[in-house]
């Protein structure tokens, strides 16, 4: 019997202006174990977040992605599979739970198909992006830290953004969910020129603000492309984001929401303590590395 253990971080995407191209990984993890054996069958055990809702067969996102990854990496399916998932990343909250599941499945597939070989992170990024549709959460889950990534003609380009010492985040997680499909459905096909120009300026500044000029983060995390159109789907979160920004805290809706994410150095995050956040679970986070795969 073989045993593989994979750990994947929670991620945020967009950070305001970096729509579909900027992501960041945090020290908040899902952990999955795969045991292979000779007795045919599939068993899926889930504890923690989403345990009451996710399927226990090949429809489970980790299992489905694992099987797709085996085919992509040229591996053979073992007769018996037992997946044990301990989920701590909340589902449908904008913290990359689906990206974590996809990356976990691909990493486990690599471990079975290419035993003993280091993870091919570029291959994982490409396949995870194809499954997700965009590389922000997927790239951050694979590589860790902060990333800028985009896909074109089946090729994924990714740049790691080294964060300054002391960089941190605060996640405000509400009790309600927002599905990504719903959050994308409300976006307009076009925006006005003034909004487009403002977005371009903020997006151009964001990589610089994350690496060398954190004093620019409040302006660089401003958004005119997506958050305002999603406000009615997550009004308490949107209003909290506005209160944080009014206090000078660089804050944005995390991914498709409804979690609110504040990022920056300690002095930039300190004013968040005076902002009312009733109804939200508050998590103080640090940047983390990407997916890890271990044997045994």
């Amino acid at each position: 019997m073989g045993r593989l253990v994979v750990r994947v971080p929670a991620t945020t995407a967009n950070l305001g202006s970096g729509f579909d191209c900027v992501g960041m990984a945090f020290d908040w993890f899902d952990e999955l174990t795969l045991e292979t054996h000779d007795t045919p069958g599939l068993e899926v055990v889930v504890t923690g977040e989403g345990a009451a809702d996710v399927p226990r067969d090949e429809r489970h996102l980790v299992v489905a992605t694992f099987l797709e990854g085996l085919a992509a990496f040229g591996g053979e399916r073992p007769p018996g599979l037992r997946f044990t998932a301990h989920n701590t990343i909340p589902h449908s909250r904008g913290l990359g739970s689906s990206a974590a599941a996809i990356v976990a499945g691909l990493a486990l597939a690599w471990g079975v198909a290419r035993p003993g070989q280091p993870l091919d992170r570029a291959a994982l990024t490409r396949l995870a992006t194809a499954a997700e549709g965009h590389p922000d959460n997927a790239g951050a889950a694979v590589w860790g830290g902060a990333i800028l990534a985009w896909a074109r003609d089946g090729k994924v380009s990714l740049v790691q953004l080294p964060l300054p010492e002391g960089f941190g985040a605060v996640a405000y997680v509400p009790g309600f969910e927002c599905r990504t499909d719903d959050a994308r459905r409300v976006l307009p096909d076009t925006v006005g020129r003034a909004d487009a120009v403002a977005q371009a300026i903020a997006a151009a500044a964001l990589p610089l603000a994350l690496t060398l000029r954190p004093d620019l983060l409040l302006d660089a995390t401003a958004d005119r492309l997506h958050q305002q159109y999603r406000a009615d789907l997550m009004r308490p979160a949107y209003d909290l984001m506005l209160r944080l920004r009014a206090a000078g805290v660089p804050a944005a809706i995390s991914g498709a929401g409804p979690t609110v994410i504040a990022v920056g150095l300690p002095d930039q995050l300190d004013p968040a303590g005076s902002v009312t956040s009733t109804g939200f679970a508050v998590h103080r986070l640090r940047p983390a590395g990407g997916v890890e795969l271990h044997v045994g």
Side-chain angles (χ1 to χ4, degrees):
M1 182 176 70
R3 187 171 187 269
L4 296 170
V5 180
V6 66
R7 190 175 79 153
V8 192
T11 55
T12 190
N14 303 332
L15 289 178
S17 64
F19 185 61
D20 279 359
C21 63
V22 172
M24 188 180 299
F26 299 117
D27 56 351
W28 189 351
F29 302 95
D30 280 355
E31 186 169 287
L32 299 100
T33 300
L34 169 61
E35 297 167 294
T36 62
H37 46 82
D38 294 331
T39 304
L42 170 65
E43 183 179 4
V44 180
V45 179
V46 183
T47 60
E49 295 285 341
D53 304 317
V54 298
R56 300 299 203 274
D57 53 25
E58 292 185 4
R59 295 171 298 159
H60 189 285
L61 188 53
V62 173
V63 180
T65 310
F66 168 79
L67 296 176
E68 292 171 2
L70 273 184
F73 299 139
E76 294 186 6
R77 176 173 175 166
L81 298 167
R82 175 185 167 92
F83 293 85
T84 303
H86 179 59
N87 300 332
T88 70
I89 304 170
H91 289 191
S92 298
R93 298 301 205 287
L95 288 167
S97 61
S98 62
I102 289 168
V103 170
L106 292 173
L108 291 171
W110 180 268
V112 171
R114 309 286 180 88
Q117 295 185 27
L119 283 174
D120 185 336
R121 295 183 186 269
L124 261 61
T125 304
R126 175 175 51 82
L127 292 171
T129 298
E132 277 268 279
H134 39 87
D136 43 11
N137 289 106
V142 172
W143 294 91
I147 60 99
L148 169 67
W150 61 96
R152 181 177 298 165
D153 299 329
K155 177 184 177 182
V156 179
S157 299
L158 184 144
V159 179
Q160 293 179 276
L161 304 173
L163 298 168
E165 186 71 25
F167 196 93
V170 183
Y172 299 83
V173 185
F176 61 91
E177 299 181 355
C178 182
R179 297 189 62 81
T180 301
D181 289 345
D182 294 334
R184 286 194 174 270
R185 194 173 295 120
V186 298
L187 299 182
D189 293 329
T190 61
V191 298
R193 180 181 298 175
D195 286 347
V197 170
Q199 189 80 12
I201 293 169
L206 186 56
L208 179 64
L210 287 169
T211 54
L212 299 175
R213 290 288 303 276
D215 57 298
L216 300 178
L217 274 170
L218 184 62
D219 287 340
T221 53
D223 168 70
R224 303 272 284 272
L225 190 62
H226 57 101
Q227 293 178 158
Q228 60 187 322
Y229 301 106
R230 294 167 164 171
D232 288 341
L233 296 177
M234 54 190 82
R235 180 59 63 178
Y238 187 77
D239 290 346
L240 171 58
M241 181 198 72
L242 293 181
R243 292 197 301 273
L244 287 164
R245 294 187 65 82
V249 179
I253 299 297
S254 182
T259 292
V260 177
I261 194 78
V263 296
L265 297 175
D267 62 324
Q268 294 173 295
L269 295 176
D270 283 345
S274 63
V275 176
T276 302
S277 57
T278 304
F280 292 80
V282 181
H283 300 261
R284 296 193 173 275
L285 304 171
R286 302 284 295 175
V291 60
E292 297 177 0
L293 178 67
H294 302 284
V295 179

